[in-house]
Amino acid sequence: MLRPPAPTGFSPAEFLERYEQDRLGTLGSAVRQHGPVVQLAEGTVLVNDPAAAQEVLRRTNTDFLVTSTIRRDEVSGVRDDPATQEWMRGRRATQRGMSPDPLREHRRWLTSAADALCRQWRTAGDIADPLLGLEQLTARSFTTYCFGSRDAGPVPARTAELLASITPLIASPFQLPRALRRLLPRYRRSVRAQNALEDELRSALARPGSGGLVDALTASGLGTEAVVRILVSSGLASYRVPAAAVTWCLVALADHPRTAEACARALRSAEAGSVPEYVRWTLAETLRLWPPNWLIVRTARGEQEAAGWRIPEGAAVLISPYVLHRSAATFGEDADRFRPERWQDLKPETGTYLPYGMGTRWCVGKALADVELSTLVSVLAGSLRFTVTGMATRPDVRTTLLPAGLTMSVTAR
């Protein structure tokens, strides 16, 4: 017999009020009080059972759907839909384009760029917005990897403008009907920003040059418009997500000086171009406690079953890696504590550790993101000591999980 989600007893309005006050706390509290699969309100189910989460993500595009675009416009999301088929083809081509040789070459470029940022921060001493500098660097990293010898022009700046314009649309839990939503000035701004980015991408694709991810995309048979759509989505993720992860790692190293010193020692004794195991543990622990993609949403296509749980028809299914990664059953009684050494022996079971998601919609940019995270943290942690001089108590969770109001100071090692 299928188990139903445990009800919280909240009406949709009551849940939204609590959720808006403290999104992470509300989800964590629901799991602690009601169990691993919870009906937060009618039509909304939180899945924190690893086996059920694994089922939902593996059955995406068939039984559990991605039903909205970057600005929350509705799409079907089913596997046999032509738009979904084209999107998945582009994802496969993106994955093929992130192969070891070009990634090794890109690490050399990224090391040089990270050295320049390191010198800039060391000279400044006080950093008013560490995330901004890292976002600008990871945006350049993505366009450099994508366009090879072509001139990307203002693509990074246009990506930043689109990200800023869609944030108010995707940050709100309230969803107006499509006809009304399209009348909003912020919606129209996002359309203009996306059109401007797409125009710049078409221009960059038409410029002379070769190499990069775009060659792999065009070689797969994708037309220009399909390539542009892939680059818009991938560019938005690449602008902020890796920068957020590196920023959280720097905050953790500032708060845990012994870990910072252990990373620096490991880096001093490492071979050139290699990433010490202890640094990899530190990155894994950062992604465990502060996964930038802190919430995954799917829609149940009809009534579904997942690992013995009944998921109501049409339910919005929420999976929060932030909450899942704090499970004492998987990560021990000190699961809320930052302790990289746990990764010496830890091998999480499938479905328990999801910094890049899993299933058909897992992050195809993982290979590039891994290079960016390991390179940036190696250069910065190996050369600088960090101190947090200001940070809000609660993170910014409107889109990507970000430290809010963060300021830092740095000194040379």
Side-chain angles (χ1 to χ4, degrees), residues 30-56:
V31 169
R32 289 191 297 273
Q33 292 181 31
H34 301 285
V37 179
V38 186
Q39 182 171 293
L40 299 169
E42 185 177 357
T44 304
V45 174
L46 173 65
V47 172
N48 201 62
D49 174 85
Q54 181 183 164
E55 282 288 307
V56 170

PDB file of all heavy atoms in Angstrom, residues 30-56:
ATOM      1  N   ALA A  30       9.662  21.281   8.268  1.00  0.00           N
ATOM      2  CA  ALA A  30       8.629  20.345   7.805  1.00  0.00           C
ATOM      3  C   ALA A  30       9.138  18.910   7.848  1.00  0.00           C
ATOM      4  O   ALA A  30       8.411  17.990   8.256  1.00  0.00           O
ATOM      5  CB  ALA A  30       8.196  20.722   6.390  1.00  0.00           C
ATOM      6  N   VAL A  31      10.390  18.696   7.443  1.00  0.00           N
ATOM      7  CA  VAL A  31      10.968  17.350   7.471  1.00  0.00           C
ATOM      8  C   VAL A  31      11.130  16.862   8.908  1.00  0.00           C
ATOM      9  O   VAL A  31      10.796  15.717   9.244  1.00  0.00           O
ATOM     10  CB  VAL A  31      12.315  17.337   6.719  1.00  0.00           C
ATOM     11  CG1 VAL A  31      13.068  16.032   6.967  1.00  0.00           C
ATOM     12  CG2 VAL A  31      12.085  17.540   5.225  1.00  0.00           C
ATOM     13  N   ARG A  32      11.640  17.713   9.771  1.00  0.00           N
ATOM     14  CA  ARG A  32      11.845  17.306  11.170  1.00  0.00           C
ATOM     15  C   ARG A  32      10.534  16.981  11.868  1.00  0.00           C
ATOM     16  O   ARG A  32      10.461  16.039  12.658  1.00  0.00           O
ATOM     17  CB  ARG A  32      12.581  18.413  11.931  1.00  0.00           C
ATOM     18  CG  ARG A  32      14.050  18.571  11.533  1.00  0.00           C
ATOM     19  CD  ARG A  32      14.780  19.483  12.487  1.00  0.00           C
ATOM     20  NE  ARG A  32      14.254  20.835  12.473  1.00  0.00           N
ATOM     21  CZ  ARG A  32      14.651  21.789  11.626  1.00  0.00           C
ATOM     22  NH1 ARG A  32      15.590  21.517  10.721  1.00  0.00           N
ATOM     23  NH2 ARG A  32      14.129  22.998  11.688  1.00  0.00           N
ATOM     24  N   GLN A  33       9.483  17.712  11.556  1.00  0.00           N
ATOM     25  CA  GLN A  33       8.216  17.522  12.256  1.00  0.00           C
ATOM     26  C   GLN A  33       7.339  16.431  11.650  1.00  0.00           C
ATOM     27  O   GLN A  33       6.602  15.770  12.372  1.00  0.00           O
ATOM     28  CB  GLN A  33       7.440  18.842  12.274  1.00  0.00           C
ATOM     29  CG  GLN A  33       8.076  19.929  13.124  1.00  0.00           C
ATOM     30  CD  GLN A  33       7.244  21.199  13.126  1.00  0.00           C
ATOM     31  OE1 GLN A  33       6.025  21.158  13.022  1.00  0.00           O
ATOM     32  NE2 GLN A  33       7.907  22.347  13.226  1.00  0.00           N
ATOM     33  N   HIS A  34       7.436  16.269  10.312  1.00  0.00           N
ATOM     34  CA  HIS A  34       6.447  15.420   9.646  1.00  0.00           C
ATOM     35  C   HIS A  34       7.034  14.224   8.897  1.00  0.00           C
ATOM     36  O   HIS A  34       6.288  13.355   8.466  1.00  0.00           O
ATOM     37  CB  HIS A  34       5.618  16.265   8.677  1.00  0.00           C
ATOM     38  CG  HIS A  34       4.899  17.402   9.327  1.00  0.00           C
ATOM     39  ND1 HIS A  34       3.766  17.219  10.092  1.00  0.00           N
ATOM     40  CD2 HIS A  34       5.168  18.735   9.352  1.00  0.00           C
ATOM     41  CE1 HIS A  34       3.348  18.395  10.542  1.00  0.00           C
ATOM     42  NE2 HIS A  34       4.185  19.325  10.118  1.00  0.00           N
ATOM     43  N   GLY A  35       8.349  14.168   8.719  1.00  0.00           N
ATOM     44  CA  GLY A  35       8.927  13.016   8.049  1.00  0.00           C
ATOM     45  C   GLY A  35       9.481  13.335   6.681  1.00  0.00           C
ATOM     46  O   GLY A  35       9.514  14.482   6.247  1.00  0.00           O
ATOM     47  N   PRO A  36       9.901  12.299   5.948  1.00  0.00           N
ATOM     48  CA  PRO A  36      10.671  12.514   4.708  1.00  0.00           C
ATOM     49  C   PRO A  36       9.868  12.957   3.495  1.00  0.00           C
ATOM     50  O   PRO A  36      10.449  13.481   2.549  1.00  0.00           O
ATOM     51  CB  PRO A  36      11.317  11.148   4.465  1.00  0.00           C
ATOM     52  CG  PRO A  36      10.385  10.182   5.113  1.00  0.00           C
ATOM     53  CD  PRO A  36       9.832  10.876   6.315  1.00  0.00           C
ATOM     54  N   VAL A  37       8.568  12.709   3.469  1.00  0.00           N
ATOM     55  CA  VAL A  37       7.737  13.166   2.347  1.00  0.00           C
ATOM     56  C   VAL A  37       6.532  13.889   2.942  1.00  0.00           C
ATOM     57  O   VAL A  37       5.738  13.293   3.678  1.00  0.00           O
ATOM     58  CB  VAL A  37       7.293  12.001   1.446  1.00  0.00           C
ATOM     59  CG1 VAL A  37       6.408  12.500   0.308  1.00  0.00           C
ATOM     60  CG2 VAL A  37       8.514  11.273   0.875  1.00  0.00           C
ATOM     61  N   VAL A  38       6.417  15.176   2.624  1.00  0.00           N
ATOM     62  CA  VAL A  38       5.470  16.043   3.324  1.00  0.00           C
ATOM     63  C   VAL A  38       4.614  16.803   2.328  1.00  0.00           C
ATOM     64  O   VAL A  38       5.136  17.357   1.351  1.00  0.00           O
ATOM     65  CB  VAL A  38       6.215  17.069   4.209  1.00  0.00           C
ATOM     66  CG1 VAL A  38       5.223  17.875   5.045  1.00  0.00           C
ATOM     67  CG2 VAL A  38       7.245  16.395   5.091  1.00  0.00           C
ATOM     68  N   GLN A  39       3.308  16.823   2.572  1.00  0.00           N
ATOM     69  CA  GLN A  39       2.437  17.711   1.802  1.00  0.00           C
ATOM     70  C   GLN A  39       2.450  19.067   2.499  1.00  0.00           C
ATOM     71  O   GLN A  39       1.793  19.258   3.521  1.00  0.00           O
ATOM     72  CB  GLN A  39       1.013  17.166   1.720  1.00  0.00           C
ATOM     73  CG  GLN A  39       0.101  18.065   0.888  1.00  0.00           C
ATOM     74  CD  GLN A  39      -1.243  17.441   0.613  1.00  0.00           C
ATOM     75  OE1 GLN A  39      -1.329  16.447  -0.099  1.00  0.00           O
ATOM     76  NE2 GLN A  39      -2.298  18.006   1.184  1.00  0.00           N
ATOM     77  N   LEU A  40       3.243  19.985   1.971  1.00  0.00           N
ATOM     78  CA  LEU A  40       3.393  21.292   2.602  1.00  0.00           C
ATOM     79  C   LEU A  40       2.079  22.056   2.607  1.00  0.00           C
ATOM     80  O   LEU A  40       1.753  22.760   3.563  1.00  0.00           O
ATOM     81  CB  LEU A  40       4.464  22.090   1.869  1.00  0.00           C
ATOM     82  CG  LEU A  40       5.865  21.460   1.877  1.00  0.00           C
ATOM     83  CD1 LEU A  40       6.775  22.202   0.897  1.00  0.00           C
ATOM     84  CD2 LEU A  40       6.462  21.473   3.271  1.00  0.00           C
ATOM     85  N   ALA A  41       1.362  21.942   1.522  1.00  0.00           N
ATOM     86  CA  ALA A  41       0.020  22.499   1.361  1.00  0.00           C
ATOM     87  C   ALA A  41      -0.601  21.757   0.189  1.00  0.00           C
ATOM     88  O   ALA A  41       0.089  21.007  -0.515  1.00  0.00           O
ATOM     89  CB  ALA A  41       0.069  24.002   1.107  1.00  0.00           C
ATOM     90  N   GLU A  42      -1.877  21.947  -0.032  1.00  0.00           N
ATOM     91  CA  GLU A  42      -2.525  21.240  -1.139  1.00  0.00           C
ATOM     92  C   GLU A  42      -1.814  21.563  -2.447  1.00  0.00           C
ATOM     93  O   GLU A  42      -1.614  22.723  -2.796  1.00  0.00           O
ATOM     94  CB  GLU A  42      -3.989  21.642  -1.242  1.00  0.00           C
ATOM     95  CG  GLU A  42      -4.746  20.844  -2.302  1.00  0.00           C
ATOM     96  CD  GLU A  42      -6.219  21.202  -2.353  1.00  0.00           C
ATOM     97  OE1 GLU A  42      -6.655  22.026  -1.517  1.00  0.00           O
ATOM     98  OE2 GLU A  42      -6.921  20.664  -3.230  1.00  0.00           O
ATOM     99  N   GLY A  43      -1.366  20.506  -3.150  1.00  0.00           N
ATOM    100  CA  GLY A  43      -0.710  20.689  -4.436  1.00  0.00           C
ATOM    101  C   GLY A  43       0.788  20.863  -4.374  1.00  0.00           C
ATOM    102  O   GLY A  43       1.430  21.012  -5.412  1.00  0.00           O
ATOM    103  N   THR A  44       1.384  20.827  -3.170  1.00  0.00           N
ATOM    104  CA  THR A  44       2.828  21.006  -3.034  1.00  0.00           C
ATOM    105  C   THR A  44       3.394  19.937  -2.101  1.00  0.00           C
ATOM    106  O   THR A  44       2.992  19.859  -0.939  1.00  0.00           O
ATOM    107  CB  THR A  44       3.181  22.399  -2.479  1.00  0.00           C
ATOM    108  OG1 THR A  44       2.599  23.394  -3.325  1.00  0.00           O
ATOM    109  CG2 THR A  44       4.689  22.602  -2.425  1.00  0.00           C
ATOM    110  N   VAL A  45       4.329  19.129  -2.622  1.00  0.00           N
ATOM    111  CA  VAL A  45       4.887  18.013  -1.853  1.00  0.00           C
ATOM    112  C   VAL A  45       6.402  18.175  -1.791  1.00  0.00           C
ATOM    113  O   VAL A  45       7.065  18.373  -2.815  1.00  0.00           O
ATOM    114  CB  VAL A  45       4.534  16.660  -2.498  1.00  0.00           C
ATOM    115  CG1 VAL A  45       5.231  15.508  -1.774  1.00  0.00           C
ATOM    116  CG2 VAL A  45       3.022  16.450  -2.485  1.00  0.00           C
ATOM    117  N   LEU A  46       6.940  18.092  -0.577  1.00  0.00           N
ATOM    118  CA  LEU A  46       8.385  18.104  -0.371  1.00  0.00           C
ATOM    119  C   LEU A  46       8.870  16.672  -0.232  1.00  0.00           C
ATOM    120  O   LEU A  46       8.380  15.913   0.617  1.00  0.00           O
ATOM    121  CB  LEU A  46       8.733  18.901   0.898  1.00  0.00           C
ATOM    122  CG  LEU A  46      10.203  18.870   1.335  1.00  0.00           C
ATOM    123  CD1 LEU A  46      11.086  19.554   0.297  1.00  0.00           C
ATOM    124  CD2 LEU A  46      10.371  19.532   2.704  1.00  0.00           C
ATOM    125  N   VAL A  47       9.838  16.281  -1.067  1.00  0.00           N
ATOM    126  CA  VAL A  47      10.392  14.928  -1.031  1.00  0.00           C
ATOM    127  C   VAL A  47      11.804  15.000  -0.466  1.00  0.00           C
ATOM    128  O   VAL A  47      12.698  15.579  -1.086  1.00  0.00           O
ATOM    129  CB  VAL A  47      10.399  14.302  -2.446  1.00  0.00           C
ATOM    130  CG1 VAL A  47      11.152  12.978  -2.439  1.00  0.00           C
ATOM    131  CG2 VAL A  47       8.966  14.100  -2.937  1.00  0.00           C
ATOM    132  N   ASN A  48      11.995  14.406   0.707  1.00  0.00           N
ATOM    133  CA  ASN A  48      13.319  14.366   1.328  1.00  0.00           C
ATOM    134  C   ASN A  48      13.781  12.934   1.576  1.00  0.00           C
ATOM    135  O   ASN A  48      14.779  12.702   2.244  1.00  0.00           O
ATOM    136  CB  ASN A  48      13.313  15.146   2.648  1.00  0.00           C
ATOM    137  CG  ASN A  48      14.702  15.585   3.073  1.00  0.00           C
ATOM    138  OD1 ASN A  48      15.349  16.343   2.366  1.00  0.00           O
ATOM    139  ND2 ASN A  48      15.173  15.091   4.207  1.00  0.00           N
ATOM    140  N   ASP A  49      13.053  11.981   1.012  1.00  0.00           N
ATOM    141  CA  ASP A  49      13.438  10.581   1.063  1.00  0.00           C
ATOM    142  C   ASP A  49      14.373  10.315  -0.124  1.00  0.00           C
ATOM    143  O   ASP A  49      13.987  10.528  -1.277  1.00  0.00           O
ATOM    144  CB  ASP A  49      12.195   9.695   0.964  1.00  0.00           C
ATOM    145  CG  ASP A  49      12.532   8.228   0.863  1.00  0.00           C
ATOM    146  OD1 ASP A  49      12.721   7.587   1.906  1.00  0.00           O
ATOM    147  OD2 ASP A  49      12.633   7.727  -0.277  1.00  0.00           O
ATOM    148  N   PRO A  50      15.623   9.885   0.115  1.00  0.00           N
ATOM    149  CA  PRO A  50      16.578   9.744  -0.988  1.00  0.00           C
ATOM    150  C   PRO A  50      16.102   8.834  -2.109  1.00  0.00           C
ATOM    151  O   PRO A  50      16.304   9.147  -3.294  1.00  0.00           O
ATOM    152  CB  PRO A  50      17.826   9.183  -0.304  1.00  0.00           C
ATOM    153  CG  PRO A  50      17.731   9.641   1.114  1.00  0.00           C
ATOM    154  CD  PRO A  50      16.260   9.620   1.423  1.00  0.00           C
ATOM    155  N   ALA A  51      15.473   7.712  -1.762  1.00  0.00           N
ATOM    156  CA  ALA A  51      15.009   6.796  -2.802  1.00  0.00           C
ATOM    157  C   ALA A  51      13.912   7.434  -3.636  1.00  0.00           C
ATOM    158  O   ALA A  51      13.876   7.285  -4.865  1.00  0.00           O
ATOM    159  CB  ALA A  51      14.514   5.496  -2.168  1.00  0.00           C
ATOM    160  N   ALA A  52      13.006   8.159  -2.981  1.00  0.00           N
ATOM    161  CA  ALA A  52      11.926   8.824  -3.713  1.00  0.00           C
ATOM    162  C   ALA A  52      12.470   9.964  -4.558  1.00  0.00           C
ATOM    163  O   ALA A  52      12.052  10.166  -5.704  1.00  0.00           O
ATOM    164  CB  ALA A  52      10.869   9.335  -2.736  1.00  0.00           C
ATOM    165  N   ALA A  53      13.429  10.725  -4.018  1.00  0.00           N
ATOM    166  CA  ALA A  53      14.040  11.808  -4.788  1.00  0.00           C
ATOM    167  C   ALA A  53      14.715  11.248  -6.038  1.00  0.00           C
ATOM    168  O   ALA A  53      14.618  11.828  -7.136  1.00  0.00           O
ATOM    169  CB  ALA A  53      15.048  12.558  -3.916  1.00  0.00           C
ATOM    170  N   GLN A  54      15.408  10.130  -5.868  1.00  0.00           N
ATOM    171  CA  GLN A  54      16.067   9.484  -6.999  1.00  0.00           C
ATOM    172  C   GLN A  54      15.055   9.090  -8.068  1.00  0.00           C
ATOM    173  O   GLN A  54      15.277   9.301  -9.270  1.00  0.00           O
ATOM    174  CB  GLN A  54      16.819   8.252  -6.485  1.00  0.00           C
ATOM    175  CG  GLN A  54      17.580   7.493  -7.536  1.00  0.00           C
ATOM    176  CD  GLN A  54      18.244   6.250  -6.960  1.00  0.00           C
ATOM    177  OE1 GLN A  54      18.651   5.371  -7.695  1.00  0.00           O
ATOM    178  NE2 GLN A  54      18.368   6.161  -5.645  1.00  0.00           N
ATOM    179  N   GLU A  55      13.918   8.550  -7.655  1.00  0.00           N
ATOM    180  CA  GLU A  55      12.878   8.159  -8.608  1.00  0.00           C
ATOM    181  C   GLU A  55      12.347   9.374  -9.369  1.00  0.00           C
ATOM    182  O   GLU A  55      12.194   9.331 -10.588  1.00  0.00           O
ATOM    183  CB  GLU A  55      11.729   7.484  -7.845  1.00  0.00           C
ATOM    184  CG  GLU A  55      11.991   6.054  -7.448  1.00  0.00           C
ATOM    185  CD  GLU A  55      11.955   5.134  -8.657  1.00  0.00           C
ATOM    186  OE1 GLU A  55      10.965   5.158  -9.404  1.00  0.00           O
ATOM    187  OE2 GLU A  55      12.940   4.410  -8.862  1.00  0.00           O
ATOM    188  N   VAL A  56      12.064  10.437  -8.637  1.00  0.00           N
ATOM    189  CA  VAL A  56      11.511  11.641  -9.275  1.00  0.00           C
ATOM    190  C   VAL A  56      12.471  12.166 -10.332  1.00  0.00           C
ATOM    191  O   VAL A  56      12.083  12.478 -11.464  1.00  0.00           O
ATOM    192  CB  VAL A  56      11.221  12.716  -8.209  1.00  0.00           C
ATOM    193  CG1 VAL A  56      10.894  14.051  -8.879  1.00  0.00           C
ATOM    194  CG2 VAL A  56      10.061  12.273  -7.311  1.00  0.00           C
TER     195      VAL A  56
END
